Amino acid sequence: MRTTVRLDDRLLADAKRYAAQSGRTLTSLIDEGLRDVLARGAAPSPAAPVKLPSGGSGGLHPGVTLDSNAALLEVMDQEP
């Protein structure tokens, strides 16, 4: 399909140069760029920061290590 697109002069010159250097047409370059943008979909909005609640005096309980998931789960199962 044929259409008219208005591009910034510098962007068009850069795109033409890139297409020529890579042995492609300007049309194929524009097609690829639009496909990439559409494939990504809408940009997700940045997530709001989450403040996790904490209590107590802080720090780990004696004998707890965060290096081992199994050890951590064992200690968590023992706590009421």
Side-chain angles (χ1 to χ4, degrees):
M1 175 180 277
R2 204 171 177 87
T3 190
T4 300
V5 178
R6 293 182 189 168
L7 299 174
D8 174 76
D9 291 340
R10 174 95 187 226
L11 176 61
L12 179 58
D14 289 346
K16 284 181 176 181
R17 186 171 23 268
Y18 182 87
Q21 289 172 348
S22 59
R24 301 171 59 184
T25 65
L26 180 61
T27 299
S28 72
L29 185 65
I30 292 171
D31 284 350
E32 182 182 340
L34 284 173
R35 282 191 181 94
D36 286 349
V37 168
L38 294 174
R40 281 184 282 180
S45 58
V50 176
K51 181 161 173 90
L52 298 176
S54 63
S57 60
L60 296 175
H61 290 275
V64 174
T65 175
L66 299 179
D67 295 332
S68 167
N69 288 343
L72 182 57
L73 288 172
E74 184 178 323
V75 171
M76 289 172 58
D77 287 342
Q78 294 172 2
E79 305 261 334

